[in-house]
Amino acid sequence: QSFDKIPIVDVGPLLDDSGASGVAKDIRWAFENVGFMYVKNHSVPAQLVDDTFAQARAFFDQPLEEKLKLHMANSGVALRGYVEIFGENTDPTNTKDLKECFDIGPERPTLERPFFGPNQWPSALPGFRETVFGYHQAMKDLATKLLRGVALSLDLSRDFFDSRVTDPITYQRLLRYPTQSGRVEENVIGIGAHVDYG
């Protein structure tokens, strides 16, 4: 097939084991030819997705002083919490990032090492912690299952990565990009040009 859009891979047959080899073939094509894929039939409940978006909106609608109480600087190398608008710039020589963020990850009682420590949670938003962390767990479970499809796509055993990824860095970011209208200057945009890593 030719590449003119990001492929959509139906991962349902991988998750229910009714056609894992076909899904693995689609994953391999997507990653070899595009580097990205969308997934459908991923089994994450739509209600959980909707509730997570609602909780994210409620968080970002709080007054700035409330959000700043949970600033990422409080978490050290665990990198958990709130980042204000212009608090990060992915392309600092050219742009300012017009976004605000709230990050969580694996829950730990104390700071252990980079990316592993306690999450910061807003006290004034009922259900926020349960919903947002529930979504984090659902996505971690899905990622584990997708990694089994990646293993099959590489002609490896389905469980090849299981013993190699036992305590992964799982990082979830809630984002809000404020609306921009009129003429938008290139030096103030939602997020500047960047590459991801990991």
Side-chain angles (χ1 to χ4, degrees):
Q1 43 184 317
S2 62
F3 166 54
D4 59 355
K5 58 186 176 293
I6 297 175
I8 301 170
V9 176
D10 182 350
V11 297
L14 171 69
L15 304 184
D16 67 17
D17 219 15
S18 64
S21 62
V23 177
K25 181 179 174 185
D26 291 343
I27 290 172
R28 183 177 187 136
W29 189 92
F31 286 174
E32 282 184 345
N33 293 282
V34 181
F36 294 93
M37 66 180 182
Y38 291 113
V39 298
K40 68 178 185 177
N41 295 322
H42 47 68
S43 79
V44 177
Q47 189 63 57
L48 178 58
V49 174
D50 292 344
D51 291 348
T52 302
F53 272 97
Q55 290 289 352
R57 282 189 291 276
F59 177 82
F60 291 122
D61 284 346
Q62 295 182 107
L64 179 60
E65 56 270 19
E66 283 301 307
K67 294 180 281 191
L68 287 173
K69 290 177 184 176
L70 304 175
H71 198 276
M72 186 180 286
N74 301 333
S75 73
V77 296
L79 300 175
R80 303 278 191 276
Y82 176 70
V83 178
E84 71 280 12
I85 290 175
F86 301 138
E88 286 183 348
N89 288 314
T90 52
D91 188 8
T93 59
N94 296 313
T95 62
K96 292 182 179 180
D97 287 358
L98 186 65
K99 70 180 191 309
E100 57 182 336
C101 321
F102 183 77
D103 297 345
I104 68 163
E107 190 68 78
R108 297 293 195 272
T110 60
L111 181 62
E112 294 178 2
R113 60 189 188 274
F115 302 106
F116 289 89
N119 290 303
Q120 301 186 76
W121 299 107
S123 58
L125 297 176
F128 181 91
R129 178 179 185 159
E130 295 77 14
T131 300
V132 172
F133 195 70
Y135 180 80
H136 176 265
Q137 289 299 105
M139 295 308 291
K140 178 183 173 186
D141 293 345
L142 175 59
T144 299
K145 294 169 184 172
L146 292 177
L147 200 53
R148 292 175 183 149
V150 171
L152 292 172
S153 80
L154 297 170
D155 300 322
L156 301 169
S157 67
R158 181 187 189 105
D159 63 354
F160 178 83
F161 293 112
D162 289 1
S163 64
R164 292 164 172 86
V165 185
T166 57
D167 194 18
I169 295 172
T170 53
Y171 206 69
Q172 177 176 307
R173 168 164 276 194
L174 305 179
L175 285 161
R176 184 180 80 86
Y177 295 95
T179 301
Q180 292 181 275
S181 59
R183 181 177 169 81
V184 175
E185 299 296 332
E186 286 187 41
N187 65 335
V188 180
I189 57 176
I191 189 167
H194 66 286
V195 296
D196 285 321
Y197 55 90

